[in-house]
Amino acid sequence: MISAEAQYRALVRVLPAWYRAERGDEMVGTLLDLHGERARAALWSELWALLALGVRTRLASRVAPAHTVALGELTRVGVLLGLLWGVLRSAGHAGDDLWVMIARPGPDLPLLMHSALRSALIRDLILLAAALVPLALLVDGWRRAARIAAGAILAAGSLWGLTRYSLSLGPDLVAHYAPQWLPLVLLLLAFHAEAPLPPARPWWWAIGGSLVSAVTAGFLFAGDLNGFAGVSPLVWLCIIAGTGCLFLRYRTGQRAAPWTLTLALCIALAVAQTLVLKRSFITFDVLVVVQISLAGLVVAALTVSGIRDYRRAVADH
């Protein structure tokens, strides 16, 4: 039978090694004291605090080894860019549906198609709110409200997914919905009480620009935002942003490892999401292969630059 001390030492391993070396024995002793006193409520409270501390120390922002601070910063930038992609994608598809409904009103649009477009518009607006609300709250400094909103959205989304896709859950569904829900999970983990909040003004500009760009793309490619040959125009906006990041890095010499690495990951997920969505009707002709290859080159360049910057940042720290 495993002793209580062995169990608690195993639980304390949720903390990183550098933190366990400083306070691991002290925390095991506290848990053993509560276990001996049979203070069940206090023990569960301490275990919950231990799990929360494990997250904070593994995604730290200040007093921690350089690689831990870099990982925390990388995760927080990923949250912001992932939510921004959710805003861009959902707003684009909502604009696409709305423009088709406006351009072909009443008798020109079959009743079944009108009903399907209305349902799609409602779904896209819900997904837009699911990304925009936590992001806006976070950018405006409402950390606790953003975390509550993210938790509520994840709970509602999980219930909806289990009821709708309980018999058809597979890799395609995971690849399709991961860019939408993963940033919310990481928001709960990475934006703890000790984490810095993002600067408000640049992110409000980014949110406004994404909304305008997405709706404009939806109007320009009305009815064809999903059926566009090759990679979606929305993904191309992300690829252009990644190319701009590489250009600025080259011209200014600034080393922003979190931005380059997370842009690489976000673009790769966006391309994968688009291809999964189009798998049933996309034709991999020369044009499609060229587009995907160009996207892959941008992702590879961002990844290589980001890894170099990450190593340099850790070494300088």
Side-chain angles (χ1 to χ4, degrees):
M1 185 175 180
I2 302 176
S3 66
E5 182 178 356
Q7 291 178 349
Y8 292 140
R9 287 198 178 278
L11 286 172
V12 169
R13 293 185 69 84
V14 300
L15 301 169
W18 62 269
Y19 196 89
R20 291 200 309 271
E22 295 178 6
R23 296 194 55 195
D25 292 337
E26 175 189 343
M27 302 189 78
V28 171
T30 301
L31 293 172
L32 285 172
D33 291 341
L34 293 173
H35 181 85
E37 295 170 5
R38 298 188 180 278
R40 191 175 297 273
L43 180 60
W44 279 108
S45 177
E46 192 70 25
L47 290 174
W48 178 254
L50 177 66
L51 292 174
L53 180 62
V55 172
R56 293 200 304 272
T57 51
R58 289 185 182 276
L59 297 173
S61 59
R62 291 188 295 271
V63 183
H67 64 88
T68 302
V69 174
L71 178 62
E73 187 178 359
L74 187 72
T75 306
R76 284 182 281 277
V77 173
V79 169
L80 296 168
L81 289 178
L83 291 175
L84 195 64
W85 163 247
V87 169
L88 182 71
R89 181 178 179 274
S90 301
H93 287 299
D96 188 26
D97 298 334
L98 188 61
W99 183 249
V100 173
M101 294 174 70
I102 294 172
R104 298 179 60 186
D108 294 334
L109 198 64
L111 184 60
L112 275 176
M113 187 175 177
H114 193 279
S115 177
L117 280 172
R118 188 168 59 248
S119 299
L121 178 61
I122 293 172
R123 178 202 63 205
D124 290 329
L125 289 175
I126 291 173
L127 290 176
L128 173 60
L132 181 58
V133 170
L135 179 59
L137 289 171
L138 199 59
V139 169
D140 207 36
W142 296 84
R143 186 202 315 270
R144 184 178 177 83
R147 287 163 59 88
I148 291 173
I153 292 167
L154 283 171
S158 299
L159 289 174
W160 174 78
L162 288 174
T163 54
R164 182 168 182 180
Y165 298 113
S166 58
L167 300 178
S168 58
L169 185 63
D172 282 3
L173 281 174
V174 173
H176 179 64
Y177 284 108
Q180 185 79 38
W181 305 116
L182 184 59
L184 296 173
V185 176
L186 295 178
L187 188 155
L188 293 173
L189 298 177
F191 278 96
H192 46 78
E194 298 173 4
L197 289 169
R201 181 172 293 181
W203 279 102
W204 280 123
W205 277 105
I207 292 170
S210 296
L211 288 170
V212 172
S213 300
V215 174
T216 303
F219 286 172
L220 290 175
F221 298 93
D224 292 319
L225 201 58
N226 280 330
F228 184 75
V231 178
S232 166
L234 299 178
V235 178
W236 274 111
L237 288 175
C238 298
I239 294 171
I240 291 169
T243 306
C245 178
L246 287 171
F247 180 75
L248 287 174
R249 179 186 180 278
Y250 174 75
R251 289 297 299 270
T252 63
Q254 293 181 350
R255 309 297 188 222
W259 289 97
T260 45
L261 278 175
T262 49
L263 266 175
L265 178 60
C266 287
I267 294 171
L269 287 175
V271 172
Q273 188 181 41
T274 302
L275 294 180
V276 167
L277 187 65
K278 298 180 177 184
R279 189 171 63 111
S280 58
F281 59 87
I282 194 172
T283 302
F284 280 85
D285 54 15
V286 175
L287 177 63
V288 174
V289 172
V290 168
Q291 290 183 68
I292 296 173
S293 299
L294 288 174
L297 286 174
V298 173
V299 170
L302 285 168
T303 303
V304 171
S305 300
I307 290 173
R308 288 177 177 174
D309 294 345
Y310 179 87
R311 289 177 175 174
R312 187 177 290 111
V314 171
D316 291 344
H317 185 84

